[in-house]
Amino acid sequence: MKTVPCLLAVSAALSFSGCASDADDCGIPPLPGGVGQGVPLLSLGHSADLRVQPSLRLSCEGTDIPQLPDSVASEVFDPHNLVIASEATLSENGQSASVRFTPTTTGRYHVRVAFSPVGSLQQFGAYVTGAWTGGGPTGLALPRCTQLDRTTHGTWLCDGVAIHGSGGDTTRLGDTLGPLDVAVAGNVVWVVGGDRVRRFVDTGSALELTGSLLLGQRDTVTVIQSRLATEDELWVLDSQHLHRFTFTPEGVVTGAAPTPWGFVNQLPFGVDLVLGLLVRAGPDTALVVQMTPEPNSRACAFQVGPTGGFVTSEAPCQSLPGVPAGIEDGAVWTRVDNAFLPQPGQTLYRWAAENGVLTERGTLMVDSPIELVSAPLRPGFALPFLQWRQSRAAAVPVVPQAPGPLGLELLPGNVDLASGLRTISPGFYWEADVGLGINGTRVYERGASSLK
């Protein structure tokens, strides 16, 4: 049976020191779960070769030397929990093993490595990403956008500023210096700010103002939390009320009486402390997602009533596990944290609105050394993404065509950027453009294969 001096054994152990002078630190049983394996980013279509270290029980009494394994076996499960072919080889000195397999799809793989007669069972996640399927970068000569979208005719909207054509001419869509909140639906652009709701249409050559509503005391919009837009309607959730604005066939923007929503003591969540999110559950139905004290989430339905404003639905609120971590027009993402051994990490869920309720449409477990980055939610549609702590490479979850595990797609751009300088929505990925200094935004349009 192979042996090694205590100094070398420490380097093979997972996360504890076994050669201390204190006898209480010796003879410690190995930690479970593969902590500290440091699995790299893996690519679809390329053979994976992982180096795995055994866990060893160290002894510090006299000249005892810890034993090393003399055999190893592996099992690899794909994202659908199916076993795929793998090969495990022990190194000559027994201090590590090499596990090889070829991934067949993207997502999280579960790897189990059994050392014998010592070394314990190691198990951990390995993450496989597909290549970016979207387009190349477009540079916008504006500070990195918090809100970003584009009309069908190609006008960019960045934090209340419209960017026209290849020349980059800009127009601010408001006559005040205060913040502007923008929502895009096709070639229609809704703007809330300066005590007004404005509706613009992109004609292909300019943004034409087609309607404007001065907000009275009844319709005042406070801090906007979320919004949904069609060409003829704008739904706005602020910190107190749910608003509905419409563009009538007569060409007038009107507002219905706003509806109170939420708990008496609202619980903020997310990196930007949002209070609630809007999910479209039908042409006349909005779901308001908010936090509960557990901490979990709940989605409560509101429907358009006979007077044109929203009324609370008679349907009971739906409970969702975890904290909201992303938002789309008809879906919300939640994150459940697990801080306990042997498998600390997080689980990401996507909930899509179907027949008026939210239905699970994709899951992904996230564990070390991967970081799950939750997006700021107040500016608009945004998705969580995964970032590797060592390389800073990042990947976005890809929704499967059928219920099941989420896939992964590698994000393009500057891998050296901090996570806070990156944002991804259902349609675009954008980041700070260091080539343009602090005043630049680099945008990539997502590919159709990403938008399942």
Side-chain angles (χ1 to χ4, degrees):
M1 189 175 296
K2 298 178 181 179
T3 59
V4 69
C6 191
L7 180 60
L8 294 179
V10 171
S11 66
L14 287 177
S15 60
F16 58 89
S17 171
C19 291
S21 59
D22 188 347
D24 291 338
D25 293 333
C26 302
I28 302 176
L31 292 176
V35 178
Q37 296 296 349
V39 178
L41 169 67
L42 306 177
S43 298
L44 184 65
H46 294 80
S47 177
D49 189 349
L50 306 180
R51 184 173 180 268
V52 184
Q53 295 176 320
S55 289
L56 300 176
R57 185 189 301 271
L58 304 183
S59 175
C60 297
E61 296 178 0
T63 59
D64 287 352
I65 300 176
Q67 299 170 337
L68 285 174
D70 55 22
S71 66
V72 65
S74 65
E75 280 187 308
V76 177
F77 300 84
D78 73 5
H80 296 275
N81 205 33
L82 300 176
V83 178
I84 65 171
S86 64
E87 179 185 8
T89 304
L90 200 63
S91 64
E92 292 184 1
N93 57 17
Q95 296 183 63
S96 66
S98 177
V99 178
R100 298 180 181 88
F101 67 95
T102 300
T104 56
T105 186
T106 68
R108 182 188 186 274
Y109 287 66
H110 190 75
V111 181
R112 299 177 64 184
V113 183
F115 294 92
S116 181
V118 294
S120 188
L121 173 68
Q122 302 299 321
Q123 49 185 335
F124 50 88
Y127 294 82
V128 177
T129 68
W132 173 251
T133 59
T138 297
L140 304 180
L142 288 172
R144 193 187 71 87
C145 308
T146 301
Q147 274 191 326
L148 182 137
D149 209 336
R150 190 181 64 188
T151 66
T152 303
H153 282 151
T155 298
W156 290 101
L157 286 307
C158 172
D159 295 338
V161 176
I163 306 171
H164 310 279
S166 58
D169 297 333
T170 61
T171 303
R172 180 172 167 81
L173 301 180
D175 52 11
T176 67
L177 297 179
L180 299 174
D181 191 87
V182 176
V184 177
N187 284 314
V188 172
V189 179
W190 293 89
V191 181
V192 181
D195 295 327
R196 286 185 179 274
V197 176
R198 295 176 172 89
R199 181 184 184 270
F200 296 84
V201 172
D202 187 356
T203 64
S205 57
L207 285 183
E208 177 183 327
L209 180 64
T210 57
S212 177
L213 173 67
L214 178 64
L215 298 176
Q217 184 175 1
R218 185 201 69 172
D219 302 314
T220 297
V221 176
T222 58
V223 180
I224 295 178
Q225 309 295 309
S226 189
R227 82 290 297 142
L228 293 172
T230 66
E231 292 185 349
D232 296 324
E233 289 190 25
L234 175 66
W235 302 349
V236 176
L237 185 78
D238 68 17
S239 55
Q240 298 176 353
H241 295 93
L242 176 57
H243 303 259
R244 178 173 179 256
F245 303 100
T246 58
F247 185 66
T248 69
E250 295 75 27
V252 178
V253 175
T254 64
T259 304
W261 68 275
F263 293 120
V264 175
N265 296 318
Q266 295 172 321
L267 301 174
F269 55 87
V271 295
D272 52 349
L273 301 180
V274 68
L275 296 175
L277 299 173
L278 280 180
V279 176
R280 190 185 308 278
D284 297 320
T285 304
L287 298 176
V288 177
V289 180
Q290 54 196 307
M291 282 291 298
T292 63
E294 277 70 15
N296 283 317
S297 307
R298 73 170 190 172
C300 301
F302 292 80
Q303 296 176 322
V304 176
T307 61
F310 281 102
V311 295
T312 304
S313 171
E314 296 180 357
C317 295
Q318 181 180 354
S319 178
L320 301 174
V323 181
I327 185 68
E328 304 173 52
D329 188 305
V332 65
W333 300 67
T334 62
R335 185 196 76 238
V336 176
D337 297 330
N338 175 29
F340 301 103
L341 291 173
Q343 201 70 50
Q346 300 165 318
T347 303
L348 183 66
Y349 296 87
R350 180 180 183 268
W351 305 89
E354 298 179 5
N355 300 319
V357 297
L358 294 172
T359 303
E360 182 186 307
R361 284 293 179 261
T363 60
L364 181 69
M365 184 176 177
V366 182
D367 44 29
S368 179
I370 313 301
E371 177 187 7
L372 177 59
V373 181
S374 296
L377 301 175
R378 191 172 292 169
F381 302 144
L383 307 182
F385 62 89
L386 276 63
Q387 182 163 293
W388 276 251
R389 292 193 179 102
Q390 295 176 342
S391 66
R392 280 194 172 177
V396 60
V398 177
V399 179
Q401 292 182 339
L406 295 163
L408 291 170
E409 182 174 298
L410 193 66
L411 291 178
N414 185 353
V415 297
D416 293 327
L417 287 177
S419 59
L421 298 178
R422 303 175 173 192
T423 306
I424 187 159
S425 72
F428 302 98
Y429 164 70
W430 67 96
E431 61 183 25
D433 190 343
V434 295
L436 294 175
I438 62 173
N439 293 321
T441 299
R442 183 187 290 117
V443 187
Y444 299 79
E445 185 171 6
R446 297 188 67 188
S449 63
S450 304
L451 308 178
K452 299 177 182 177

